[in-house]
Amino acid sequence: MHHAGGSAVSFLPLRSVFPDHWRVLATELPGRGSSIGEPACSGMAEAVSWLLPAVRAEINGPYAVVGHSMGALVACELVRELEAAGTPPVLLGISASPAPHLSGRDGRYRNLRTRDQLVRFLKDLGGTPDEVFEQPDLMDYLIEILRSDLAVLESYERSAGFAVSVPIAVYYGERDAAAHREIVEPWSEYSTASTTVTSWPGGHFYLFDHAETFGARLAHDVREAAAARVPHRETVWD
């Protein structure tokens, strides 16, 4: 599940780092990529409703759901629906995202209205090649997508007292001001199984700078979760 302003293409750098026998599916919300003509989602419920039937159609064995940044919150809500449907994943992977009750608590998304503010947000976050900012048409397209995705985040309100029953694996960059240790650690409150937390050097898009080690760690976590559920809650720091 991609970050705000992202798409399935965002994950191309990771396509070769997972085991050869894995089937990797990068999802994307409407308004970009293969669904560029579709209207953007107006909120989290609509985003999950868009993704749910597509994901369920692909389930034919053990699987994991992983989301980066905004995609982590989408992934969490999606897993809730998949559990309710009786088809839970073996693992929920959370990358570069505050725990749901801490997402957007500083009101940062409400201050992103103008084009200049959104461009500055992208530059501060990192992960967008410098040459993209020099292409006005491409920036117009990206800003439109980012604005709609931030509206999903701004309107997101977590349901009180929920937790998934699958293990959660949390990943973050040690220099990520948007998802630092203190606000990713509370993801442990959202699973009745186990939670592991792993960090890498880098900022918000650390996973692309450390693709091989990230892929190896995720593969390890998926295999561990598939092998057995941990019967008690624990948070393990690496």
Side-chain angles (χ1 to χ4, degrees):
M1 309 293 169
H2 59 74
H3 56 278
S7 68
V9 176
S10 304
F11 295 102
L12 285 177
L14 298 177
R15 62 184 173 180
S16 64
V17 303
F18 299 119
D20 291 339
H21 65 282
W22 280 22
R23 190 162 60 104
V24 181
L25 303 175
T27 62
E28 57 189 3
L29 294 176
R32 73 209 78 202
S34 60
S35 58
I36 193 170
E38 299 284 344
C41 295
S42 60
M44 184 66 74
E46 187 176 347
V48 173
S49 295
W50 168 271
L51 292 169
L52 184 60
V55 172
R56 290 195 67 191
E58 297 291 344
I59 296 173
N60 59 6
Y63 72 101
V65 175
V66 183
H68 179 72
S69 194
M70 177 191 77
L73 297 173
V74 176
C76 182
E77 294 296 327
L78 180 64
V79 167
R80 293 182 64 202
E81 295 298 323
L82 289 164
E83 284 195 319
T87 54
V90 299
L91 179 78
L92 169 60
I94 298 296
S95 173
S97 173
H101 64 285
L102 300 176
S103 176
R105 64 176 179 173
D106 55 3
R108 72 175 64 193
Y109 306 128
R110 289 193 295 273
N111 298 323
L112 298 172
R113 290 290 183 266
T114 69
R115 178 188 175 89
D116 288 345
Q117 289 171 332
L118 290 165
V119 169
R120 174 52 53 189
F121 174 77
L122 284 174
K123 289 183 176 180
D124 290 344
L125 206 58
T128 303
D130 291 339
E131 55 267 25
V132 172
F133 296 102
E134 300 172 1
Q135 301 180 50
D137 291 343
L138 182 56
M139 281 304 300
D140 287 343
Y141 166 72
L142 184 57
I143 290 298
E144 182 179 353
I145 292 174
L146 179 62
R147 184 176 279 118
S148 64
D149 288 348
L150 292 178
V152 171
L153 285 174
E154 184 180 347
S155 63
Y156 174 59
E157 295 183 5
R158 70 179 181 95
S159 301
F162 83 84
V164 297
S165 64
V166 302
I168 293 179
V170 181
Y171 314 103
Y172 75 102
E174 294 165 356
R175 297 195 306 275
D176 186 359
H180 52 81
R181 173 172 176 159
E182 288 74 17
I183 58 177
V184 303
E185 181 181 9
W187 272 103
S188 60
E189 301 172 17
Y190 291 85
S191 173
T192 58
S194 63
T195 304
T196 59
V197 185
T198 308
S199 66
W200 276 267
H204 197 63
F205 294 98
Y206 70 91
L207 68 170
F208 301 120
D209 296 327
H210 304 278
E212 289 190 7
T213 57
F214 174 80
R217 178 67 201 202
L218 178 57
H220 169 272
D221 291 341
V222 172
R223 290 190 184 103
E224 289 287 308
R229 292 280 185 92
V230 179
H232 59 281
R233 291 180 56 184
E234 60 176 327
T235 300
V236 180
W237 289 90
D238 290 341

